[in-house]
Amino acid sequence: MFFLKKFISYLILPPGIFIALFLFIAVLSRKRKIVYIPALAGALSLYLLSIEPFKDLLLYPLESPFKTPKVVRGDAIVVLGGGAYNSGYLKASSYKRLITGFLLHKKTGKPIILSGGAAIGVIPEAKVMKELLMEFGVEEKDIYADLESRDTFENAKYVLGICKRIGCRSLILVTSAFHMRRALSVFEKTGLEIQPYPTDFKFEGKYNLYSMFPKYSVFYDSSIAVREYIGLVFYSLYY
């Protein structure tokens, strides 16, 4: 009964319902290749992006080069924003990055640089993060905020400006593991010494029968990985 309940729930909830819909269209139009092939391809693509093994296949090249360092070194900790809602709450990736930065600050006493503007929203991420850090007990004098940056390139640009102002030559770079490859390549071009400190790992590596069921959370993580690959290509061409 438990298995049946799970199977039905995964089938009727997105993305399962859309996979079933694509398959239904494919069956009805199997004699019309112009419809059959795209419908079948849509079902297969959506299914693969929604299961854990394929999601890990996408994430592994992004996350595997980076491990949490046992010894940290740097004049300051920089935390890159990962998104905020217009209601004033941080999205999950931003919150995980912020908590990691906060724990590093408590451990090392290094100042924190927060980087993240309002790229497509109305509230700068760094403003929300700064308010949270102060609620956690971090003194305002230990927090520097870049409220202008809209992407990773601008993160590096504006953080470099803050570093020049406060005399910082090396950074502990905190961001999600899936984003570290792109972030590190951009920040290293500033001439600052950068130590990557990844967090928010999404690779799992262990599976069971339920890992083969399509899930929205897995589809979301796969989409993040695909977006990261697109970003890597774009940055390699233009920066």
Side-chain angles (χ1 to χ4, degrees):
M1 286 297 295
F2 178 80
F3 177 82
L4 182 61
K5 180 180 69 174
K6 284 293 183 182
F7 178 78
I8 293 173
S9 65
Y10 287 132
L11 181 63
I12 63 177
L13 291 173
I17 186 64
F18 297 114
I19 295 171
L21 180 60
F22 274 125
L23 287 175
F24 181 68
I25 294 171
V27 169
L28 290 181
S29 59
R30 58 186 179 276
K31 293 183 180 181
R32 301 175 59 195
K33 290 186 178 180
I34 194 171
V35 178
Y36 172 75
I37 293 176
L40 194 61
L44 179 61
S45 300
L46 193 53
Y47 174 72
L48 289 175
L49 289 169
S50 303
I51 61 173
E52 291 167 13
F54 191 81
K55 177 262 295 182
D56 280 353
L57 185 66
L58 293 173
L59 284 168
Y60 184 77
L62 297 172
E63 296 189 346
S64 62
F66 305 103
K67 309 298 179 186
T68 303
K70 295 180 180 179
V71 179
V72 294
R73 60 184 187 277
D75 298 329
I77 303 157
V78 58
V79 179
L80 305 186
Y85 297 102
N86 287 335
S87 58
Y89 292 94
L90 294 178
K91 294 184 178 180
S93 288
S94 277
Y95 197 77
K96 291 173 185 177
R97 298 175 190 184
L98 183 65
I99 291 297
T100 300
F102 168 70
L103 293 175
L104 281 172
H105 168 74
K106 295 293 288 184
K107 180 180 179 180
T108 65
K110 304 290 184 182
I112 302 178
I113 302 173
L114 305 171
S115 181
I120 56 176
V122 297
I123 300 175
E125 299 169 58
K127 180 177 183 295
V128 179
M129 290 193 289
K130 180 178 180 179
E131 291 171 353
L132 277 173
L133 282 181
M134 292 176 67
E135 288 183 17
F136 293 163
V138 180
E139 295 185 25
E140 189 171 11
K141 66 179 181 63
D142 291 327
I143 306 172
Y144 299 89
D146 146 42
L147 307 178
E148 304 298 327
S149 58
R150 298 166 297 177
D151 57 19
T152 308
F153 175 78
E154 291 188 358
N155 286 147
K157 173 185 174 182
Y158 289 113
V159 167
L160 177 61
I162 292 174
C163 286
K164 288 180 177 178
R165 191 168 73 245
I166 66 176
C168 173
R169 296 183 179 180
S170 59
L171 292 173
I172 305 164
L173 177 62
V174 177
T175 189
S176 298
F178 64 82
H179 181 241
M180 184 59 78
R181 183 174 168 184
R182 179 157 55 108
L184 185 60
S185 68
V186 174
F187 269 80
E188 285 180 335
K189 292 177 181 178
T190 62
L192 298 170
E193 182 183 342
I194 308 296
Q195 181 186 38
Y197 199 101
T199 187
D200 187 23
F201 287 88
K202 298 185 181 298
F203 179 84
E204 294 180 79
K206 295 181 180 180
Y207 317 108
N208 56 29
L209 178 61
Y210 298 102
S211 302
M212 304 307 294
F213 287 174
K215 306 176 189 70
Y216 174 75
S217 60
V218 176
F219 176 78
Y220 177 76
D221 287 345
S222 294
S223 300
I224 286 175
V226 171
R227 183 184 66 185
E228 226 18 70
Y229 285 114
I230 293 172
L232 283 168
V233 171
F234 179 83
Y235 275 62
S236 68
L237 293 175
Y238 292 97
Y239 297 114

